[in-house]
Amino acid sequence: MTPVHVIGGGLAGSEAAWALARHGVPVVLHEMRPVRTTDAHQTALLGELVCSNSFRSDDAAGNAVGLLHEELRRAGSLVLAQADHHRVPAGAALAVDRDGFAAGITAALEAEPLVTLVREEVAEPDAAWDSVIIASGPLTSDSLAQAIGRRTGEPSLAFFDAIAPIIHRDTIDFDTAWFQSRWDKGSGSDYINCPMSRDEYHAFIDALLAGDKVSFREWEGTPYFEGCLPIEVMAERGRETLTFGPMKPIGLTNPRGPKPYAVVQLRQDNALGTLWNMVGFQTKLRHAEQVRIFRTIPGLQNAEFARLGGLHRNTFINSPRVLDGALRLKAEPRLRFAGQITGVEGYVESAAIGLLAGRFAAAERLGGALQPPPPTTALGALLAHVTGGADAATFQPMNCNFGLFPPIEGRFRGKDRKAALSTRALAAIDSWLDRRPAA
C-alpha cells in the first residue's frame, strides 16, 4: 500500500501518523529536527512541548477541553495515552512530565512498524506524494510556509505566542512560599505559591513595565494570541489586571502570614518534582531582565532557572476559506492540514485535528469516506469551526470551548448546561466511533 506522508512530528503530526498506522495504513513521518531546529524547541523528540506542560482542565463534565480529553481517549489517542501515563500533580488539570511525555511519543512511533521516521526538512511536498498531511505546526519553516502561501493564494497569517520560565524547586524559599491548590482542588498541594503584599506587587509591576523587552520590528502588526499573553502586555492593560489573572489571590490561604494581595503560582513540570514552571508568566522580557525581576518575587529571591521565557511567531492558515470539511486544501485536495497551523490553539486541540486528519486520510487510502464527527461533539465542534464555522474575514486561533457547540434543548443553567452538553457529546462520539467508513 502506498504510504501517506505526514510533515511535522509535533502533537498533530504524531497523532495523525498514529491514527493512520492504527488503521493499517503505512506512514512516512517527516520531522526536520535535529537537521534544522526552531527558536522554541530544545530537543529532537517527537511531540515536544515548547510552552506549558499543562493540557488544561481534565473535567469532562464541566469543561470543553476536559470533554475533548475524554473524546480523544475513547478514540485511541496516542497523545492522551502518553499524557495520562506521564501525568504529574496539577489539581483539576492534566499536566505532564514534558520530557517523559515526548520520549513516550517518540518511542511509540519508532516502535510502530507501519511508521517510517525520516529526519529532514520538507520545503515543498513532493509532487509524487498523492496523500499528504501538513502538520508542521505554528513554527513552520520559512520555505514550507512560502510553499503553503503559494497554494492558498495569500501570505501566511501569524500571531505571537509566548513561553513561561521553569525554576529548579530546590532554589525556592519555602520559609516564604507554600504548597496549596486554588480552592484546595486535586491533592490540595499541587502548586507552589509565592505571596506578594500590595507594595511588593506594585513594585513588581513597575519593574515589569520598565524592563528591557525583546523587540520584533519586522513583525509589527502581528497580534498576540489572547489566551497566552505575555505578562507585560497584561500589565500594560491596567496595573491591577494581573491580580484578576495569573496572580489572583482568591482560593488561597497563606499559612506564613496575612492574606496576600497577589500570588505567583508554580506548577510541577516533571515527574521528579525538581522543576516547576511559573503559571501564566509568558514573557518577552530579555533573559537577564527575567532573572533580575523575577527574583524580586518573595520566595524566588534565589531562584535558578532551568529555562527562561521567550516569544515566538506562530503561523496559521485561513482554514475556513481554504479547507474543505475533511481538512483537504480545496485548491489541491491531495494536501491535508492538521494541528495549530489550521488555526486551533492548544496542545489538545492540535492533537485532535491531527487525529481527525489521520482518520480521514486512512479512510480515503482504504477506499472509503469517513463522515466527520457530529458538531455536538468536541471533536466535531472544533472541526466545524476551522472548516467553515468561523468567519474567514476575521479568523483567529481558537481554543475548544462550549461556545462552539450547537445549543442544547431544554432549560439548563451554569454547570447543569455544561454537564448536559458533555453527556450529549459523549453519546454522539461513541456512536461516531462505532461507524465504519463508507466504501
Side-chain angles (χ1 to χ4, degrees):
M1 186 185 298
T2 305
V4 173
H5 291 261
V6 177
I7 302 173
L11 297 185
S14 296
E15 195 71 82
W18 187 255
L20 283 156
R22 294 297 90 186
H23 286 81
V25 177
V27 187
V28 178
L29 177 58
H30 304 264
E31 169 53 49
M32 71 178 185
R33 293 174 295 118
V35 176
R36 179 173 177 180
T37 189
T38 74
D39 293 335
H41 287 91
Q42 294 186 322
T43 77
L45 293 172
L46 304 176
E48 180 184 342
L49 305 181
V50 300
C51 295
S52 167
N53 71 322
S54 175
F55 285 63
R56 312 195 317 278
S57 174
D58 201 35
D59 176 10
N63 186 282
V65 174
L67 172 61
L68 185 58
H69 289 180
E70 181 58 25
E71 290 187 13
L72 287 170
R73 290 186 180 104
R74 297 186 185 195
S77 163
L78 172 64
V79 166
L80 262 292
Q82 290 298 323
D84 287 335
H85 184 69
H86 295 283
R87 186 170 193 151
V88 297
L94 172 59
V96 304
D97 176 324
R98 70 175 69 233
D99 293 331
F101 170 81
I105 294 282
T106 305
L109 288 167
E110 288 182 339
E112 171 51 59
L114 287 174
V115 175
T116 300
L117 178 59
V118 179
R119 298 284 187 170
E120 65 178 8
E121 180 184 359
V122 177
E124 176 84 30
D126 194 308
W129 300 345
D130 69 334
S131 181
V132 182
I133 297 174
I134 299 177
S136 50
L139 299 171
T140 297
S141 67
D142 290 342
S143 54
L144 182 56
Q146 290 170 10
I148 293 168
R150 289 193 294 270
R151 288 167 166 83
T152 58
E154 61 184 13
S156 298
L157 303 175
F159 65 98
F160 279 133
D161 205 353
I163 299 171
I166 296 174
I167 291 174
H168 291 279
R169 180 191 183 279
D170 60 6
T171 66
I172 299 171
D173 177 12
F174 286 98
D175 287 336
T176 301
W178 77 96
F179 285 94
Q180 185 186 9
S181 301
R182 201 178 302 280
W183 306 116
D184 295 317
K185 289 185 176 180
S187 71
S189 58
D190 296 339
Y191 291 81
I192 295 173
N193 301 278
C194 299
M196 281 187 173
S197 67
R198 182 187 181 96
D199 289 344
E200 288 168 334
Y201 171 77
H202 284 292
F204 175 76
I205 294 298
D206 289 339
L208 202 60
L209 294 174
D212 189 16
K213 303 169 184 69
V214 175
S215 176
F216 293 93
R217 291 186 179 86
E218 68 272 29
W219 294 338
E220 285 180 358
T222 300
Y224 292 105
F225 174 59
E226 285 291 323
C228 200
L229 287 174
I231 53 170
E232 315 84 42
V233 174
M234 285 188 275
E236 288 167 358
R237 294 181 174 183
R239 294 184 64 84
E240 302 300 323
T241 299
L242 289 169
T243 64
F244 294 93
M247 295 180 69
K248 59 181 178 288
I250 62 169
L252 297 167
T253 305
N254 183 5
R256 308 277 193 267
K259 181 176 178 61
Y261 186 79
V263 172
V264 175
Q265 286 199 306
L266 296 95
R267 179 181 55 239
Q268 186 172 332
D269 200 78
N270 67 344
L272 295 174
T274 56
L275 299 175
W276 290 69
N277 67 67
M278 300 178 72
V279 178
F281 264 59
Q282 300 83 219
T283 180
K284 60 177 181 176
L285 287 169
R286 293 191 182 277
H287 284 178
E289 289 290 76
Q290 290 180 49
V291 174
R292 179 181 69 83
I293 294 171
F294 294 159
R295 282 181 178 168
T296 67
I297 297 169
L300 302 184
Q301 60 270 19
N302 299 313
E304 295 293 336
F305 296 84
R307 184 189 74 185
L308 289 161
L311 193 69
H312 53 270
R313 187 174 185 256
N314 285 353
T315 300
F316 67 101
I317 60 174
N318 194 330
S319 293
R321 189 179 69 80
V322 302
L323 299 185
D324 69 12
L327 298 166
R328 291 174 298 203
L329 189 65
K330 294 174 184 177
E332 194 172 342
R334 74 183 179 104
L335 304 180
R336 275 189 170 82
F337 285 81
Q340 285 187 256
I341 197 169
T342 66
V344 295
E345 175 60 22
Y347 294 146
V348 188
E349 292 87 341
S350 180
I353 300 299
L355 181 144
L356 289 173
R359 282 178 167 255
F360 284 135
E364 187 176 80
R365 177 62 86 224
L366 295 170
L370 180 67
Q371 290 297 313
T376 53
T377 65
L379 281 167
L382 201 59
L383 176 67
H385 175 74
V386 300
T387 59
D391 183 352
T394 58
F395 184 60
Q396 287 291 314
M398 177 70 73
N399 289 123
C400 186
N401 63 84
F402 281 123
L404 302 179
F405 290 60
I408 191 167
E409 294 182 3
R411 292 188 175 183
F412 299 98
R413 293 184 178 179
K415 293 181 179 179
D416 291 340
R417 174 180 168 275
K418 293 177 179 178
L421 288 168
S422 294
T423 298
R424 181 183 69 175
L426 293 176
I429 201 65
D430 286 341
S431 177
W432 181 74
L433 290 170
D434 286 340
R435 296 178 192 167
R436 301 286 183 184

